[in-house]
Amino acid sequence: MQLTIDIPEKTLIEFGRESVQKEINNTLKWMRIRQAFGKISNELKSSFDERDYYKKLEEIRESAWNEYKKTIS
């Protein structure tokens, strides 16, 4: 697939062709990163049980709280 973006010549002169190209490349990079995180998120959602997740999270919180209480005693 090819994407064509029409940018007026006046805009290219004003901002500079190179800076416009850098901005487009930067935007594409972040779109790819966001897409990758979306895929990872979907995979994680399908591989974890929500109840197990919250149970493990509660265990971690309890452990952290107990460690904290030891330091303030």
Side-chain angles (χ1 to χ4, degrees):
M1 183 174 122
Q2 184 175 353
L3 175 67
T4 303
I5 301 172
D6 288 326
I7 302 172
E9 197 66 34
K10 182 180 176 185
T11 303
L12 288 177
I13 291 169
E14 191 175 320
F15 292 110
R17 186 177 305 272
E18 192 173 307
S19 62
V20 170
Q21 186 64 49
K22 284 181 183 178
E23 190 64 35
I24 290 170
N25 290 343
N26 191 37
T27 300
L28 287 172
K29 177 182 80 171
W30 284 108
M31 288 174 70
R32 287 185 195 108
I33 290 170
R34 191 170 35 235
Q35 182 182 36
F37 279 132
K39 288 179 182 178
I40 292 169
S41 174
N42 289 335
E43 289 295 320
L44 288 173
K45 284 178 186 175
S46 65
S47 66
F48 285 110
D49 180 48
E50 191 173 351
R51 284 177 278 158
D52 290 341
Y53 169 80
Y54 284 110
K55 180 181 175 188
K56 186 67 173 172
L57 183 62
E58 190 56 40
E59 290 172 5
I60 293 169
R61 286 180 178 158
E62 185 177 342
S63 172
W65 177 249
N66 289 335
E67 286 295 317
Y68 172 74
K69 287 193 300 187
K70 287 179 187 176
T71 63
I72 61 173
S73 299

